[in-house]
């Protein structure tokens, strides 16, 4: 028993990641009980108080930095003190990661959209999709709903699952908390809304920087399902014309691996924006929403498999040398 406890302590990072990552596939906190919902509400209220026409742009940028600090520093102070009183620090990491990760709750919404489309209930699919995307869903055709759902699915699950695990593996729980704080801030003050243009300058910048390496790694993961070297020039050519290179590269890799087209025209608050087309020329079908979710799940399993190999390879090599 003592040897098992010492083994778990030695590989506490691995066990905390794998335990919570697997749990996030099947269980999620109700929105009313999730502390992240309170953080979202705080940033919304800050915007109401700060994002006024009478305030200067410099004031709004400074207020955005102070707002992030208002959430982040008290949180890490509480977490750091909890480490001193718990019997096993790994329990803190498990609880915090479970709160930070989001997969199951979003997966349910995308499945609801898919099920509505399978029942030919386009209006209900648009209604469900409207809750998880910034774009206007009412003018969307059936093809538009398919593309918007898949794009949102890839971007959302990358930002709320792959990115959280990446920053936890790279720099620990404090980095994961900082990333999630910045992400929520950037989403609540969305840069696509001109009203938040000044207020979201720094949060959007931090968010883009922290997502950049994650997008590259996830793009490489999607490429494994396709012809990575053959399609590489096409991916770079398409992603250069996307509004963010890294997210364009990721979506292009995903679209090419699934053999359909993403991107194109969309509406944000009655503002029409034409984005580059990514992938191939065939439009995604309804059943490819479920297939896309399966592809994302397989990619998540691949990340956990690679992390397991990286963690235990030195131990396996030592065992083989005995």
């Amino acid at each position: 028993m003592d040897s098992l406890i010492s083994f778990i302590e030695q590989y506490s990072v691995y066990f905390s990641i794998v335990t919570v990552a697997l749990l996030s596939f099947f269980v999620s906190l109700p929105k009313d009980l999730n502390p992240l919902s309170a953080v979202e509400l705080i940033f919304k209220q800050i915007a109401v108080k700060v994002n006024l026409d009478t305030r200067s742009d410099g004031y709004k940028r400074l207020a955005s930095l102070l707002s992030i600090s208002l959430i982040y520093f008290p949180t890490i102070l509480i977490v750091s003190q909890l480490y001193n009183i718990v019997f096993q620090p790994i329990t803190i990491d498990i609880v915090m990661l479970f709160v930070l990760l989001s997969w199951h709750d979003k997966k349910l919404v995308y499945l609801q959209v898919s099920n509505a489309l399978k029942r030919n209930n386009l209006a209900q699919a648009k209604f469900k999709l409207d809750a998880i995307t910034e774009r206007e869903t009412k003018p969307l055709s059936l093809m538009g709903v398919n593309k918007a759902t898949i794009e949102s699915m890839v971007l959302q699950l990358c930002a709320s699952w792959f990115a959280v695990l990446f920053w936890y593996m790279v720099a620990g729980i404090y980095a994961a908390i900082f990333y999630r704080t910045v992400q929520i801030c950037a989403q609540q003050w969305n840069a696509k809304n001109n009203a938040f243009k000044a207020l979201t300058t720094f949060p959007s910048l931090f968010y883009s920087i922290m997502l950049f390496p994650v997008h590259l790694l996830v793009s490489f993961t999607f490429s494994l399902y396709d012809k990575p070297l053959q399609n590489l020039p096409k991916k770079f050519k398409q992603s250069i014309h996307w509004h963010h290179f890294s997210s364009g590269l990721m979506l292009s890799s995903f679209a090419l691996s699934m053999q359909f087209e993403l991107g194109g025209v969309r509406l944000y608050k009655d503002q029409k924006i034409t984005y580059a087309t990514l992938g191939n020329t065939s439009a995604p079908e309804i059943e490819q929403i479920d297939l896309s979710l399966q592809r994302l799940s397989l990619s998540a399993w691949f990340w956990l498999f690679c992390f397991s190999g990286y963690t235990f390879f030195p131990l396996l090599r030592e065992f083989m040398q005995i």
Side-chain angles (χ1 to χ4, degrees):
M1 187 64 180
D2 292 339
S3 59
L4 178 61
I5 294 176
S6 62
F7 180 79
I8 294 176
E9 289 178 345
Q10 182 180 357
Y11 295 99
S12 61
V13 174
Y14 169 80
F15 285 109
S16 59
I17 287 179
V18 171
T19 300
V20 183
L22 294 177
L23 194 62
S24 69
F25 291 171
F26 309 104
V27 182
S28 59
L29 283 174
K31 190 173 179 63
D32 293 340
L33 299 178
N34 196 324
L36 297 183
S37 300
V39 177
E40 293 175 359
L41 181 60
I42 291 173
F43 280 124
K44 284 182 181 179
Q45 292 303 313
I46 290 175
V48 172
K49 298 292 185 181
V50 173
N51 196 40
L52 304 174
D53 294 336
T54 55
R55 307 288 189 181
S56 65
D57 289 349
Y59 174 88
K60 293 177 182 178
R61 295 188 185 99
L62 178 61
S64 68
L65 294 177
L66 294 175
S67 300
I68 294 174
S69 302
L70 178 66
I71 300 297
Y72 177 66
F73 288 113
T75 302
I76 64 171
L77 179 62
I78 294 172
V79 172
S80 64
Q81 295 305 309
L82 289 175
Y83 278 124
N84 296 325
I85 61 176
V86 296
F87 175 68
Q88 292 292 340
I90 187 177
T91 57
I92 301 298
D93 285 11
I94 290 175
V95 171
M96 291 303 303
L97 273 178
F98 181 68
V99 172
L100 295 175
L101 284 175
S102 178
W103 182 288
H104 181 257
D105 55 342
K106 290 182 172 61
K107 180 181 72 173
L108 290 179
V109 178
Y110 294 118
L111 288 175
Q112 289 171 356
V113 173
S114 177
N115 292 334
L117 293 175
K118 291 175 182 177
R119 298 194 305 269
N120 296 321
N121 193 339
L122 184 59
Q124 185 181 18
K126 291 181 181 181
F127 176 76
K128 295 293 184 180
L129 182 62
D130 185 66
I132 53 177
T133 183
E134 287 292 320
R135 71 178 65 182
E136 297 290 338
T137 59
K138 289 183 180 179
L140 291 177
S141 62
L142 175 61
M143 182 188 69
V145 172
N146 292 341
K147 292 172 67 173
T149 302
I150 294 173
E151 284 180 25
S152 175
M153 184 190 304
V154 176
L155 292 171
Q156 287 276 2
L157 295 184
C158 175
S160 60
W161 195 89
F162 289 97
V164 172
L165 287 188
F166 173 83
W167 285 109
Y168 179 75
M169 289 187 286
V170 169
I173 194 65
Y174 296 139
I177 294 173
F178 180 75
Y179 165 77
R180 205 70 161 94
T181 304
V182 169
Q183 182 208 19
I184 294 173
C185 182
Q187 287 182 339
Q188 294 304 311
W189 307 340
N190 200 289
K192 296 182 179 70
N193 189 338
N194 289 328
F196 296 126
K197 185 176 181 180
L199 188 63
T200 194
T201 301
F202 289 123
S204 295
L205 177 62
F206 296 155
Y207 186 41
S208 298
I209 292 174
M210 297 189 79
L211 272 180
F212 187 84
V214 182
H215 283 160
L216 295 184
L217 288 175
V218 176
S219 299
F220 173 76
T221 306
F222 294 152
S223 298
L224 298 177
Y225 299 97
D226 194 28
K227 303 172 182 177
L229 295 179
Q230 182 177 338
N231 287 326
L232 189 61
K234 187 175 183 179
K235 294 173 187 176
F236 273 89
K237 184 178 179 180
Q238 291 180 348
S239 56
I240 286 173
H241 298 288
W242 196 252
H243 61 294
H244 289 302
F245 172 79
S246 62
S247 61
L249 183 63
M250 180 182 65
L251 288 173
S252 178
S253 297
F254 188 82
L256 286 170
S257 71
M258 296 292 294
Q259 298 298 308
F260 54 55
E261 179 186 88
L262 296 176
V265 180
R266 68 276 314 275
L267 291 175
Y268 292 105
K269 302 296 183 182
D270 297 326
Q271 181 184 7
K272 184 178 179 180
I273 301 177
T274 302
Y275 286 163
T277 56
L278 305 172
N280 294 330
T281 56
S282 59
E285 302 293 337
I286 294 175
E287 61 271 10
Q288 288 179 306
I289 295 176
D290 291 343
L291 293 175
S292 297
L293 186 58
Q294 293 175 13
R295 177 63 52 84
L296 287 165
S297 298
L298 287 174
S299 300
W301 278 103
F302 176 77
W303 270 45
L304 295 178
F305 176 79
C306 291
F307 183 56
S308 300
Y310 173 79
T311 302
F312 294 112
F313 179 75
L315 187 64
L316 180 62
R317 185 176 59 181
E318 181 181 342
F319 176 77
M320 295 295 292
Q321 291 175 352
I322 295 178

